[in-house]
Amino acid sequence: MIVSCALFDPRRWWRDLTGVWADTRLIVIIAQIAAIYAAILIPFKAGIPLIPGFVELRPANAIPIVASLLFGPAAAWGSGIGNIIGDCFGTLGPASVFGFLGNFFFGYFPYLMWGHLGWLSSGRPPMVKSWRQGLEYGLICVVASGVCAGIIGWGVELLGLLPFLVLAPAIFFNNIVMGLFLGPPLLGFLYPRVQRWHLRYEDILPYLIPRVDSCESSNTPTPNNNSLSLPQEGTNSPLLTCRDFSFSYSRNTTPALHNMTFTIAVGEFVMLLGRSGSGKSTLCYACNGLIPQMIPGKFSGKVHVCGNDTQTFPVWKGAKYVGLVFQDFETQLIGTTVGAELRHPLEYREVPLSLHEINRRIEQVLSTLGLEVELDRDPLRMSGGQRQRLVMASVLVQEPRVLILDEPSSDLDPASRKRLQLTLEELKSKGLSVLMTEQDHGDFQLVDRVILLDEGRVIWDGQPNALLANPELMRQGGIRPLPITECFEDFDCEPLPLTLEQAWAYSEKLQLMVDPPAEVLNDTVRFGIPVFPRENQIAPIIQVEDVSFGYDEFPVLQDIYCDIYPGEFLALVGANGSGKSTLARLLNGLLVPTDGRILVDGLDTLTTSMKEMARRVGLVFQNPDHQIFADTVWEEVAFGAKNLGCSQEEIGDRVQQSLKAVGLPFEEKSDLDPFSLRKGERQRVAVASILATQPTVLIFDEPTTGLDASETDRMMGMIRELHREGHTIVMITHSMSLVAAHAQRCLLMAKGEIIGDGSPRDIFRDSVLVRRASLEVPAIPQFSQRWGYTLLTVNEVKASLRAKVL
């Protein structure tokens, strides 16, 4: 038999056509197909009323076939609904019922037939790249077009509107021509992208609903998944249980997680540590059912939350019990205002809340997180740290039993981080269980237990202080040890100090003092060469003169004045919302001042074109995904050079040089989709795209956000090398340890003003000034200030520690 019997299996038809409505992704795809199909149909809806598909020109008729091969039965619904929408603009009538049915099956049969034509099937993906794929596509196009034409022709004749032999051939011919002419190139363009993002129907199908063969029966009772069985207070039942859990992403041969087994009790705070790629985010997604219900892959073992299996319990039902804040928190923002963002998860609950209760929860969560913003504020007009707290608020407003935070501190300044710690401490005291991933150990004082992951395996599980006292194990897991602890590794200390007080006590015990040599104080230890004060006669490359700026009625900067000099490594430092990122966009002309002016190389940003500004100042965004847009790394890096009018030969040279400068191998990476790369690599692509325009000044907005210790070292090493090559560097950050290690000069910002300007030693020497900016002096300067010096790095302390002279 040529045609597979699966084509005529009513169980499969029922499962396919009803199952698509159980998955949000497929519902969105249905809506998109309907909208696109209708939008292309509407301009051509003219001619004989009541008879859809007869005289109108329909280039859209390729869409049902292409969509069917990509999205399966979602295309059937989308095509049928889209045709009805199109009929509303010219041919809506009784015959539209048959138009819906004809287009419905026109969008369903290609999916049913591909790969089920016996020896006529190509055995390849649904694209036209070989003669066998072309033959299979052609046959499917003929059959699907015939079914569509037959249903509409029969229905219209049944209504007595037009003979079958007049209408059906016209529809059939139109479908065939458009399907054969437009379908193959559309498939060639769309299929690789849909496959890359795992949106094919075959990718989603295994996770739609539990599959039960209708030919089988079972007397085994099934659990009731419509109710959540929460552990009772006072019991020893864990809220989260992970047992022999392993997972591999689709098309990845290496498992992301191997045999994970652990539990989290009521009110327990567990931190997952590990380098990027160790499996932390994967475990978070599994704990609320995103894996495997919405992210396909090979799943084994069990993950239970509140006594329910995350493989089968619907994600939307469990959302109010298991709150998850993504590492890329921007993807969770959906509201156009702060109020809309917080009300949305409360307005669509199974049991509706009163308006009073909704307002009470919103007010409480904003107060708890210290998010003092108006409810009508646009989230896109807020700083990155404020947006992150808003996302956390939208999760906490649902009052979940388990809170899962994927690197929540990555975008927070010290003051915001302290507020987060207090919030988590309060939530923990109320019995909330917390699972939090991090790249470092900044929140250990709250943690009951630490699990260290590496390559998807648990390499350590125990008390936080035991891990902190073992810097070698931390390095093995890709975690940066405590700087204070590193200072004493070469001394006979057991256990190693973990706090400033312990470090001072060990210094007294070992009769040590800080007495820095000249090469420490002149920055030779920090930079490898001494750094001398700039000459006064050097003209600034950027002049900021009494600049103010605001978004609508929200003032951001007030009366900013500063100069930036050629060859500087300048750190722009301040708390979230202090105006750092806004000032950066003013420096490269993306924004223009509401008052005052900015001169770059003598050119006023208000009157200079963006093309000219791009030659002088390059800005690398905090989130590289807001900057990257091209299909390949090569196209992304080449874009800026093309806009500057460079020749093809020069563009190629600039792309190669830029990728080499950021440490990305041209042959290996240039043809890849930049969004398939890891975040650290995407940031390097963003830097390379700026370098290709060959600007003099490079501005990096929070360049290490979300990077682990090794990725941070690579990123900062690259920036230091660009500085040595002659670029002026402006680094925006709230990480004082980065400032201490790399910056020559600091501009300290608070509430839209510059409150401090000097070297890192000068700035850190004034702890009152630093606290005024809602920041903290790092541990190393605090440790050394006991002896009257302000040291900045571990190496400086090691070079300065010596025995006391008795």
Side-chain angles (χ1 to χ4, degrees), residues 708-737:
D708 63 24
S710 60
E711 288 174 330
T712 295
D713 290 342
R714 285 194 293 270
M715 176 60 67
M716 294 310 302
M718 179 198 70
I719 295 174
R720 285 276 288 269
E721 183 60 32
L722 292 171
H723 179 242
R724 283 191 287 267
E725 291 174 358
H727 290 281
T728 300
I729 302 295
V730 177
M731 179 178 69
I732 299 169
T733 184
H734 54 244
S735 172
M736 304 303 270
S737 60

Side-chain angles (χ1 to χ4, degrees), residues 422-492:
L422 294 174
T423 299
L424 294 176
E425 188 173 12
E426 180 182 351
L427 294 171
K428 178 186 172 185
S429 68
K430 295 178 179 179
L432 183 74
S433 296
V434 180
L435 175 64
M436 184 167 78
T437 78
E438 279 293 359
Q439 300 281 12
D440 61 34
H441 38 67
D443 301 300
F444 266 20
Q445 60 267 39
L446 297 175
V447 176
D448 299 311
R449 199 166 98 241
V450 175
I451 299 175
L452 183 59
L453 300 182
D454 195 27
E455 297 183 350
R457 301 179 186 276
V458 176
I459 65 172
W460 195 86
D461 185 346
Q463 298 298 310
N465 285 351
L467 180 61
L468 289 174
N470 190 342
E472 188 56 40
L473 176 61
M474 296 182 72
R475 294 189 194 99
Q476 179 186 337
I479 307 301
R480 198 181 307 281
L482 284 173
I484 284 294
T485 304
E486 287 187 292
C487 291
F488 287 84
E489 278 188 281
D490 298 333
F491 294 93
D492 185 17

